[in-house]
Amino acid sequence: MTEPTRMLPAGARLYGHTLTRLEPAQVLGMAERTARNTGLARLPVDFDGRYDDAVPERLLVATGPLEADLDVLRGELSDSTVQSFQRRSRRAADGEVTFLNGTVQFDSPAHPDWYDHGANGYPLLWSLKLYAFEPLRWAMLGYKDPRAAPEEVVEVFDQWVREWTESVDIGRPGYLRNAWTPWAVSLRLQTLARYLAWRTGGTHDGVPEGLTEALAGEIYRNALFLANHVEGDVGGNHLVENGLALLMAGLLFPDTDESWFSTGRSILGRTGARQFLPDGGHYERSPMYHAIVTTRYVTACSLLAASDRTAPTWLTAMTKQAVAYLRYISPPDGRLPLYNDAVFGQSLPLADCLGYAGAVGFTDDDRPVPSHSSMGGETGYYWLDTDHGRLLVDGGPVGPSHLPGHSHNDMLSVLLWVGDQRVLTDTGVYDYADNERRQYARSVAGHNTVQVGETEPIEIGGKYLMGARTEPTADYEGADPALFRGDYETAAAAPASYRHGRTVLASDDWWLVRDELRGPDTETEPSVSRLHFHPEVAITVEDSGTVRATRGEDGPTLLGVHPLGTSDVRTTTTEYFPEFGVAEERQTLELKVGPESGPTAFGYLLAPAADGAPGRSAEDR
């Protein structure tokens, strides 16, 4: 880092670096959104009235494709998923609304106060999920049709629609940061369109007078708004939501002269070509967002098939490869790896996602193999299997330089499953607020990799900021023995200065992990390699220095960890965030070494137990 840059406060450095990496469309989009959000509300113009006036008095809707897609999707949900949606929708209809594991009790369940609903202590994402009408999605996916749902669920959610259309205006101060945030509008449009199909389609009778018209009008108004507010400033997975929402609106109103269908399809095409990497992974490199984005593309294909439209070849090809990559990263326990910003419970469960994709026609079980070339730009997740488990190593970049939001300092981190037991975990995400837990989840200390001193290999700060990047190189051989070699060097503009190489070798019933460090920082600061264990796993450091991992305090041995070349072995307690708003304690192993002059080499051997027997010692091997 140059001396003038080093003298700047960390926040200034991070904001400056982020701004210089933004793309022109992002800068223009940010300027436009800021101007609209702060300026339009002050103008003597009734923007809400203008949108209302643009909605035709009579709207013909075609709900058939949405009904067909809902039937396919619902048919692939597991019993536990369906029961969860039913339970959550009943509670929401009773006024107990829970998002991000935070609950608000509405005084009047059928009449929520959209502007003051009691979620002030929760992150903004809580309110955005309410504005997206997520509880209506729970009802649609939990019950085959409204007649199967409890009467109060249908009545309350019908009333939510009426209350919204009558009380939530476009153009209030700050509207683009709350109820009319385009991401929330996209999800709301998708949910309301499906709710219209679920509530009024087929032979359903007993639909209250005016409900169909209210729903259709609100969907139309949201589509008009979204078409004017596509999220070029945010980009990433938001654009996928924008594209699907507009495509869905175009299919729902086929007789209008709006270009929503072609606009939505075009957004999906441009976005997919940019965001899906050659191996099929999503470029934000979050398994959770990959699952969400892939599901949206599956829905687009499903809707086109149900409307007797031929899906473009590019859409089918993108979706097929994305589904294949979702299969590729599926671990033994059937739950997503939590690399980068990822938690359980936000996407559909992995098996449900893949079942839905299979029902739509994406049944190819072939798994794409990540490129061996360090220049390929692929997602960078590599499996190394043995007779007793699977290890997943992150050998790719942290994420797009112009889009740092969901990136973590997890370069060369490993995750481990012994059998179907998750043993070495990532940290997950507590929330997207600017707080200590957010910083920890993104930090190098929150991952199963090496930290030099107290610095980060890539500087982080705020909710989403990230400093000067480094591009790892990776070489992978999947044959037995499987071998991974990865390497990165901190950027010249970064506060840290060192090079980290990691080699992982897997054969028969063991994994060997070896780290090599070199550079100015390693000669003046100690280095630590961390292994974060799942909360269900207990670890004990024995007198010999070997670490024994068991299933619970008194359960069978799962794994022996044999430190190699370390000067200090200790355990500590850290936090694990498997879901938004959930913090669990777990044990973490720290292997310390240095500082040393010249290269520093250390590592560990992972020896799974066979049939509950303790892992053999390194000497026995």
Side-chain angles (χ1 to χ4, degrees):
M1 177 183 295
T2 62
E3 191 60 30
T5 303
R6 191 185 300 275
M7 296 299 292
L8 291 173
R13 288 200 304 270
L14 287 169
Y15 273 108
H17 180 85
T18 299
L19 287 173
T20 60
R21 296 304 185 276
L22 294 177
E23 298 179 336
Q26 291 177 286
V27 176
L28 291 173
M30 289 178 182
E32 182 180 1
R33 185 189 290 212
T34 300
R36 287 179 172 182
N37 197 51
T38 59
L40 293 187
R42 297 190 177 98
L43 298 177
V45 177
D46 182 7
F47 288 100
D48 189 71
R50 289 192 173 190
Y51 275 103
D52 284 344
D53 292 343
V55 178
E57 291 187 9
R58 182 175 178 81
L59 287 169
L60 297 178
V61 295
T63 61
L66 282 81
E67 291 178 69
D69 173 62
L70 262 179
D71 287 341
V72 172
L73 174 55
R74 194 186 302 108
E76 297 303 321
L77 301 180
S78 68
D79 290 343
S80 61
T81 300
V82 170
Q83 290 166 10
S84 173
F85 284 146
Q86 291 177 349
R87 181 172 61 252
R88 292 156 76 184
S89 66
R90 291 195 301 269
R91 289 176 178 172
D94 196 38
E96 183 182 312
V97 181
T98 301
F99 307 123
L100 316 178
N101 289 290
T103 300
V104 169
Q105 180 67 51
F106 292 167
D107 293 334
S108 178
H111 305 281
D113 186 333
W114 299 107
Y115 294 104
D116 185 17
H117 41 262
N120 292 336
Y122 295 135
L124 175 62
L125 184 57
W126 197 102
S127 295
L128 295 182
K129 284 180 170 289
L130 179 66
Y131 299 146
F133 284 88
E134 190 158 315
L136 275 65
R137 184 177 71 92
W138 300 339
M140 290 183 290
L141 296 180
Y143 298 99
K144 185 175 181 180
D145 62 54
R147 294 167 297 183
E151 185 175 341
E152 62 271 16
V153 168
V154 177
E155 290 179 351
V156 166
F157 293 160
D158 284 355
Q159 188 59 33
W160 279 23
V161 173
R162 296 190 186 94
E163 294 275 333
W164 178 275
T165 59
E166 295 170 0
S167 62
V168 180
D169 298 338
I170 299 171
R172 292 194 181 199
Y175 70 109
L176 285 174
R177 300 295 183 188
N178 48 60
W180 293 93
T181 301
W183 178 79
V185 175
S186 297
L187 296 182
R188 179 165 68 241
L189 198 160
Q190 294 174 40
T191 297
L192 291 181
R194 281 173 156 165
Y195 190 75
L196 174 63
W198 180 76
R199 189 71 181 88
T200 67
T203 59
H204 301 164
D205 51 13
V207 179
E209 183 179 356
L211 179 64
T212 300
E213 292 76 13
L215 274 165
E218 188 61 24
I219 295 165
Y220 198 98
R221 186 169 73 132
N222 277 258
L224 286 170
F225 180 88
L226 182 59
N228 291 333
H229 295 82
V230 173
E231 294 177 277
D233 55 333
V234 179
N237 61 82
H238 287 219
L239 283 172
V240 176
E241 303 292 5
N242 299 167
L244 178 62
L246 289 172
L247 181 138
M248 195 176 284
L251 290 173
L252 185 63
F253 303 111
D255 295 332
T256 67
D257 58 0
E258 300 291 348
S259 60
W260 296 329
F261 176 82
S262 59
T263 299
R265 185 175 60 181
S266 177
I267 291 172
L268 291 175
R270 296 194 311 270
T271 302
R274 177 93 186 275
Q275 296 188 9
F276 285 125
L277 300 172
D279 62 5
H282 186 251
Y283 77 158
E284 291 186 84
R285 292 177 171 83
S286 158
M288 178 185 80
Y289 283 110
H290 178 80
I292 291 171
V293 167
T294 298
T295 302
R296 300 298 187 257
Y297 275 81
V298 170
T299 296
C301 292
S302 176
L303 289 170
L304 291 176
S307 63
D308 295 326
R309 297 172 185 249
T310 302
T313 303
W314 57 259
L315 178 61
T316 303
M318 285 178 188
T319 308
K320 181 177 181 179
Q321 187 73 341
V323 171
Y325 197 83
L326 192 60
R327 288 195 182 97
Y328 169 76
I329 61 171
S330 299
D333 63 352
R335 308 191 79 189
L336 289 170
L338 299 186
Y339 274 131
N340 286 305
D341 275 354
V343 292
F344 303 131
Q346 296 306 300
S347 66
L348 288 173
L350 191 50
D352 296 350
C353 290
L354 292 174
Y356 176 40
V360 175
F362 300 99
T363 58
D364 188 356
D365 289 332
D366 290 338
R367 294 180 173 183
V369 178
S371 170
H372 296 186
S373 168
S374 61
M375 302 302 291
E378 280 81 351
T379 315
Y381 295 134
Y382 303 89
W383 286 106
L384 290 92
D385 298 346
T386 72
D387 295 341
H388 296 296
R390 308 192 75 196
L391 181 146
L392 184 64
V393 59
D394 181 359
V398 298
S401 61
H402 70 283
L403 198 68
H406 298 301
S407 299
H408 291 202
N409 267 327
D410 59 358
M411 292 175 294
L412 307 184
S413 182
V414 298
L415 306 179
L416 179 68
W417 289 258
V418 174
D420 61 358
Q421 171 67 52
R422 194 168 290 225
V423 176
L424 297 180
T425 69
D426 211 86
T427 294
V429 182
Y430 188 79
D431 58 26
Y432 289 153
D434 182 5
N435 55 36
E436 290 184 3
R437 281 175 163 161
R438 176 64 175 159
Q439 299 310 309
Y440 173 66
R442 300 182 73 207
S443 72
V444 66
H447 305 286
N448 299 318
T449 188
V450 173
Q451 181 175 18
V452 177
E454 299 296 325
T455 58
E456 298 286 336
I458 303 174
E459 201 170 12
I460 57 173
K463 299 177 184 178
Y464 305 116
L465 296 177
M466 210 164 200
R469 305 298 185 89
T470 178
E471 291 291 327
T473 62
D475 184 40
Y476 171 72
E477 299 175 11
D480 188 13
L483 176 65
F484 167 85
R485 293 190 185 94
D487 184 271
Y488 69 87
E489 184 174 9
T490 57
S497 180
Y498 63 87
R499 189 178 191 93
H500 176 204
R502 169 165 279 189
T503 300
V504 184
L505 181 65
S507 183
D508 297 332
D509 57 354
W510 52 264
W511 294 269
L512 177 64
V513 179
R514 182 182 184 276
D515 293 295
E516 184 172 310
L517 302 162
R518 62 180 69 215
D521 288 4
T522 66
E523 298 183 2
T524 59
E525 300 288 345
S527 302
V528 57
S529 178
R530 294 184 177 87
L531 296 175
H532 300 284
F533 288 82
H534 191 275
E536 294 175 357
V537 178
I539 59 174
T540 304
V541 180
E542 300 177 339
D543 293 340
S544 64
T546 296
V547 180
R548 186 162 56 92
T550 59
R551 196 188 303 268
E553 293 290 342
D554 302 316
T557 299
L558 292 166
L559 182 74
V561 182
H562 307 279
L564 304 171
T566 58
S567 57
D568 186 15
V569 179
R570 64 181 64 183
T571 63
T572 186
T573 300
T574 60
E575 287 189 313
Y576 174 56
F577 312 129
E579 299 179 21
F580 283 131
V582 172
E584 300 179 15
E585 287 191 346
R586 63 180 175 186
Q587 289 182 277
T588 295
L589 181 67
E590 295 184 343
L591 310 178
K592 293 188 176 181
V593 66
E596 297 179 1
S597 60
T600 300
F602 67 128
Y604 47 87
L605 181 74
L606 302 174
D611 301 324
R616 290 179 288 165
S617 68
E619 292 78 5
D620 293 337
R621 296 171 184 277

